[in-house]
């Protein structure tokens, strides 16, 4: 039988349901609540006047000539200026400095800044992704790299080659996953090296200073500031495009309360497709760009680029964008075919997260720094690493992924993100814009804004990498003495011996697996395993010992190792 006999004309598709009126006009009529008019009149660039440091900045620099200093101040208050001045003083005296930051992105940004100030030949960077000018007198890198240098110095029985260590984002001492690295650095750092800690606002700075004085036997002074040089206002973005205050004197703004009450059942648990291009267009009409969008995952950041159409640019902006990109590609031609080049050039937007190629992030950061981008999409987990000069920060969720599950933001987390809004010297006022959605609780954001600063709590824990590296240069008895210097022991007043018992359990396992000998010293296998400097050193070491990698091609080997190497900039993919 022929196919023609049984052919049936396909039915016409059913008429599409008309979209709701609310969806059709989404963000099409940007306007501000009348109560915001006085604030919006402040938007703009302040007068170009000579920079005058704030009293807390000069106080910190002066004190650093005599003692260790802990500076605690809001994000955006100007703590980096203190570091820069301290480096100027050291550099003029022929001294060396080490600037440690939590993230590669922030290290890249600081490196760019210091290269402009001190010259490329005077600055080096070590992040794991980049190793440039490693013998420079001004070194910038991640805190893990600094900790590894201290391990090496203790093993050699020598000193780390620096005279001043600056620990940026020192409140990471309280980070559940990475705080152990900050605490190790502070325990191992020789007292002869001057110490400058720069932290977001915390509530127990006196306790931290007392601990440092007790273990370093040098005076430690606290410099505190609670003032932001650029005022910050939190806003709420309605689907219509209306922007209103998030809060009033009595809590959430009445308009926000009414909207949440009426919209709650409609949006609860419903997946959301966001047109980021429309939101950017809305912000542009209200003069709220450039902006940082903090999203849940790397995948969300990458997808956001697809909804951003090309934008009209002045001849000057087009020329500057093209020159910056072409100049960079001349040095790094492997980026020419990058899949996100088009939105970067045509839409002036970029995704910025730990999953990007290292030098692509450097290009994005340079364009951010020069004000050539209208918006970037970043994950909340790298909020500390984003140094984008933004007028507005846009928040899509009130929770974060802590490596295991989604939990509510802490006060410090929120302040880290919204503190990026309002550029000193470029803005008279900054804004945090709250976007409603299925993962957003405006009441939580309001409460956290009013909440006191979080205290720093010790997060030190024993792991195999630490155990192996301490046994390179210490006997178990000496390790016990080091652990007594921990912030955990100080906060528990020395009554808890959990750290020592944990160390002994790790030591016992290492002896059973022949990484440590009967004399409690590292065996030959233990020596090279210690230098792996990974989060899972024994897994990789055992694979090497048993020949699991033999016969594997060079292309396959990285894929096999990847599951066991934790990128510290990681976040979750949904």
């Amino acid at each position: 039988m022929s196919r023609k006999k049984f052919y049936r004309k396909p039915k016409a598709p059913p008429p599409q349901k008309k979209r709701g009126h609310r969806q059709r006009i989404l963000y099409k009529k940007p306007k501000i609540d009348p109560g915001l008019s006085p604030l919006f009149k402040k938007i703009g660039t302040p007068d170009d006047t000579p920079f005058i440091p704030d009293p807390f900045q000069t106080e910190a620099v002066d004190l650093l000539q005599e003692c260790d200093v802990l500076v605690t101040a809001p994000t955006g208050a100007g703590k980096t200026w203190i570091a820069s001045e301290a480096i100027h003083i050291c550099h003029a005296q022929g001294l060396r400095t080490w600037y440690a930051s939590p993230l590669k992105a922030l290290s890249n940004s600081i490196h760019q800044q210091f290269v402009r100030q001190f010259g490329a030949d005077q600055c080096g960077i070590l992040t794991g992704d980049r190793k440039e000018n490693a013998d420079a007198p001004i070194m910038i890198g991640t805190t893990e790299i600094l900790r590894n240098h201290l391990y090496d110095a203790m093993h050699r029985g020598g000193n780390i080659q620096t005279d001043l260590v600056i620990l940026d984002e020192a409140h990471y001492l309280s980070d559940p996953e990475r705080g152990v690295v900050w605490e190790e650095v502070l325990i191992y750092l020789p007292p002869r090296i001057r110490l400058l800690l720069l932290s977001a606002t915390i509530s127990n700075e006196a306790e931290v200073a007392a601990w440092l004085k007790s273990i370093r036997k040098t005076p430690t002074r606290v410099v505190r500031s609670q003032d932001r040089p650029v005022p910050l206002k939190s806003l709420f973005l309605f689907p219509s495009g209306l922007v209103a205050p998030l809060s009033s004197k009595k809590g959430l703004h009445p308009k926000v309360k009414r909207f949440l009450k009426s919209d709650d059942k409609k949006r609860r648990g419903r997946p959301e497709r966001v047109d980021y291009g429309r939101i950017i267009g809305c912000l542009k009409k209200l003069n709220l760009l450039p902006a940082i969008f903090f999203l849940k995952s790397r995948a969300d950041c990458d997808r956001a680029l697809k909804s951003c159409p090309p934008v009209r640019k002045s001849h000057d902006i087009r020329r500057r964008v093209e020159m910056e990109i072409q100049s960079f590609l001349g040095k790094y031609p492997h980026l020419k075919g990058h899949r996100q080049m088009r939105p970067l050039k045509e839409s002036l937007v970029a995704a910025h997260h730990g999953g990007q190629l290292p030098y692509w992030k450097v290009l994005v950061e340079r364009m951010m720094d020069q004000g050539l981008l209208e918006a970037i999409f970043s994950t909340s987990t790298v909020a500390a690493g984003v140094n984008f000069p933004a007028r507005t920060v846009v928040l899509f969720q009130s929770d974060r992924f802590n490596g295991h599950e989604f939990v509510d933001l802490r006060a410090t987390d929120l302040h880290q993100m919204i503190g990026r809004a309002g550029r000193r010297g470029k803005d008279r006022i900054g804004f945090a814009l709250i976007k409603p959605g299925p993962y957003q609780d405006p009441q939580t954001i309001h409460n956290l804004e009013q909440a006191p600063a979080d205290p720093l709590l010790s997060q030190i824990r024993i792991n195999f990498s630490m155990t192996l590296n301490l046994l390179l240069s210490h006997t178990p008895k000496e390790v016990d003495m080091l652990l007594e210097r921990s912030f955990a022991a100080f906060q528990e007043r020395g009554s808890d011996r959990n750290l020592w018992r944990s160390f002994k359990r790790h030591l016992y396992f290492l002896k059973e697996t022949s990484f440590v000998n009967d004399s409690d010293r590292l065996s030959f296998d233990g020596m090279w395993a210690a230098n792996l400097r990974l989060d899972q050193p024994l897994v990789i070491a055992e694979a090497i010992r048993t020949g699991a990698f033999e016969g594997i091609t060079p292309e396959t080997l990285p894929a096999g190792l990847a599951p066991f190497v934790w990128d510290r900039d990681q976040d979750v993919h949904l």
Side-chain angles (χ1 to χ4, degrees):
M1 295 183 183
S2 68
R3 292 176 181 263
K4 188 174 182 181
K5 185 175 181 180
F6 290 95
Y7 173 77
R8 293 179 180 177
K9 185 177 180 180
K11 294 181 179 180
Q16 292 186 352
K17 294 181 179 179
K18 293 184 178 181
R19 294 183 178 182
H21 179 66
R22 173 171 161 244
Q23 189 170 357
R24 287 201 309 269
I25 64 170
L26 207 62
Y27 313 121
K28 277 194 173 181
K29 296 181 179 179
K31 60 180 179 179
I32 62 170
D33 183 270
L36 289 173
S37 295
L39 282 178
F40 271 60
K41 289 179 180 178
K42 294 181 180 180
I43 293 177
T45 304
D47 295 336
D48 188 11
T49 57
F51 172 76
I52 301 176
D54 291 334
F56 88 94
Q57 294 174 307
T58 55
E59 179 187 6
V61 173
D62 291 342
L63 286 173
L64 196 59
Q65 311 310 307
E66 305 170 359
C67 58
D68 295 339
V69 176
L70 166 60
V71 179
T72 171
T75 301
K79 295 186 289 292
T80 304
W81 181 89
I82 299 171
S84 178
E85 284 299 298
I87 292 173
H88 268 296
I89 294 171
C90 285
H91 196 56
Q93 298 173 0
L95 302 178
R96 303 173 68 89
T97 58
W98 225 107
Y99 189 108
S101 78
L103 298 175
K104 300 169 187 175
L106 184 55
S107 298
N108 290 336
S109 177
I110 294 296
H111 179 253
Q112 290 181 43
Q113 176 182 335
F114 287 173
V115 163
R116 290 194 297 267
Q117 289 181 290
F118 303 103
D121 60 324
Q122 299 298 305
C123 301
I125 184 168
L126 296 170
T127 65
D129 285 343
R130 300 175 66 187
K131 181 179 180 180
E132 300 173 11
N133 203 10
D135 295 323
I138 302 171
M139 187 56 57
I140 303 99
T142 54
T143 314
E144 280 80 2
I145 299 292
L146 174 58
R147 188 270 313 272
N148 292 343
H149 281 197
L150 289 168
Y151 278 152
D152 292 335
M154 291 189 294
H155 182 207
R156 295 191 309 266
N159 289 320
I160 183 173
Q161 296 301 305
T162 190
D163 302 285
L164 168 67
V165 162
I166 302 167
L167 281 185
D168 200 359
E169 310 291 346
H171 47 275
Y172 263 70
L173 178 70
S174 201
D175 184 84
E177 296 294 339
R178 301 182 61 196
V180 57
V181 179
W182 270 253
E183 192 159 344
E184 282 190 271
V185 166
L186 294 170
I187 292 171
Y188 308 152
L189 195 68
R192 70 165 185 84
I193 298 173
R194 191 56 51 84
L195 179 63
L196 171 61
L197 296 97
L198 305 175
S199 173
T201 305
I202 57 177
S203 60
N204 62 335
E205 68 278 9
E207 182 184 33
V208 176
W211 167 59
L212 291 173
K213 183 178 180 180
S214 71
I215 65 172
R216 290 173 54 78
K217 308 303 180 186
T218 57
T220 302
R221 296 287 297 275
V222 174
V223 176
R224 183 182 182 92
S225 175
Q226 296 180 318
D227 299 325
R228 275 183 55 92
V230 180
L232 179 66
K233 179 67 176 180
S234 292
L235 309 173
F236 188 87
L237 176 63
F238 291 83
S240 64
L242 172 67
V243 172
L246 173 67
S247 306
S248 65
K249 294 181 179 179
K250 297 181 179 180
L252 288 178
H253 193 276
K255 289 184 179 179
V256 176
K257 283 184 178 180
R258 287 195 295 270
F259 170 81
L260 295 177
K261 186 176 180 179
S262 65
D263 195 60
D264 187 50
K265 292 181 180 179
K266 299 177 185 177
R267 63 187 176 87
R268 188 185 297 274
R270 187 174 62 189
E272 183 183 40
R273 295 185 65 181
V274 181
D275 191 328
Y276 297 96
R278 282 193 176 183
I279 296 178
I280 292 174
C282 178
L283 299 184
K284 192 169 190 175
K285 290 179 180 178
L286 297 177
N287 201 14
L288 293 177
L289 294 180
I292 302 172
F293 288 69
F294 282 118
L295 308 183
K296 265 190 176 297
S297 70
R298 299 174 180 180
D300 282 351
C301 294
D302 293 338
R303 282 193 294 263
L305 300 176
K306 298 178 182 178
S307 68
C308 297
V311 297
R312 299 178 64 180
K313 301 178 286 290
S314 68
H315 173 74
D316 179 61
I317 291 295
R318 285 200 306 270
R319 180 182 59 82
R320 290 174 60 196
V321 167
E322 191 64 30
M323 286 180 60
E324 182 63 30
I325 292 175
Q326 292 306 317
S327 173
F328 198 83
L329 293 181
K331 297 179 181 178
Y332 307 102
H334 67 283
L335 296 176
K336 286 184 179 180
H338 196 283
R339 58 191 174 89
Q340 295 178 358
M341 183 65 77
R342 178 172 291 181
L344 185 74
K345 294 176 67 172
E346 297 182 2
S347 306
L348 303 183
V349 295
H352 186 280
H353 52 68
Q356 300 279 21
L357 292 172
Y359 281 95
W360 177 259
K361 288 192 291 185
V362 173
L363 172 60
V364 170
E365 289 155 12
R366 288 189 180 183
M367 295 184 70
M368 291 194 286
D369 189 55
Q370 295 180 35
L372 296 176
L373 299 184
E374 290 192 345
I376 64 164
F377 304 101
S378 180
T379 51
S380 60
T381 51
V382 296
V386 178
N387 196 26
F388 181 33
R391 176 167 292 166
T392 304
V393 162
V394 186
L395 299 184
F396 284 74
Q397 70 275 344
S398 54
D399 60 358
R400 67 183 180 92
F401 190 71
N402 65 4
H404 307 284
E405 60 182 343
F406 283 97
V407 296
D408 283 345
L409 292 173
R410 302 169 301 172
T412 299
D413 300 324
L414 178 68
H415 296 155
Q416 279 282 86
M417 289 189 283
I418 66 177
R420 303 292 162 189
R423 307 159 295 179
R424 184 168 187 168
K426 296 183 179 181
D427 286 307
R428 294 194 184 97
I429 188 169
F431 299 94
L433 187 68
I434 309 305
K435 160 73 174 62
Y439 309 107
Q440 181 68 276
D441 181 3
Q443 185 66 56
T444 295
I445 300 295
H446 168 78
N447 294 344
L448 290 175
E449 278 196 288
Q450 315 303 318
D454 296 322
L456 297 191
L457 303 174
S458 173
Q459 302 293 339
I460 194 170
R461 65 190 184 281
I462 306 299
N463 55 45
F464 285 114
S465 181
M466 180 195 297
T467 304
L468 287 167
N469 277 281
L470 287 178
L471 289 174
L472 277 172
S473 52
H474 295 78
T475 65
K477 184 177 180 180
E478 291 169 335
V479 171
D480 187 19
M481 296 173 63
L482 279 179
L483 296 178
E484 289 179 355
R485 293 160 52 87
S486 69
F487 193 34
F490 184 84
Q491 291 187 312
E492 293 155 358
R493 302 306 176 202
S495 61
D496 190 281
R497 299 291 289 159
N498 287 338
L499 284 175
W500 173 239
R501 286 192 287 269
S502 178
F503 176 82
K504 288 198 296 184
R505 288 195 297 270
H506 284 73
L507 177 62
Y508 175 80
F509 185 87
L510 291 172
K511 294 175 76 170
E512 288 292 301
T513 51
S514 302
F515 287 101
V516 173
N517 60 32
D518 292 337
S519 300
D520 292 334
R521 306 299 298 181
L522 293 183
S523 65
F524 173 76
D525 286 347
M527 293 288 287
W528 59 259
N531 284 282
L532 290 176
R533 303 280 164 79
L534 302 170
D535 291 296
Q536 305 289 342
L538 295 193
V539 175
I540 304 301
E542 190 63 17
I544 293 173
R545 288 204 302 189
T546 58
F549 297 136
E550 292 180 7
I552 295 179
T553 65
E555 295 81 7
T556 307
L557 182 59
L561 292 175
F564 305 101
V565 180
W566 177 27
D567 187 338
R568 295 295 188 175
D569 292 357
Q570 76 165 6
D571 51 54
V572 66
H573 289 260
L574 298 180

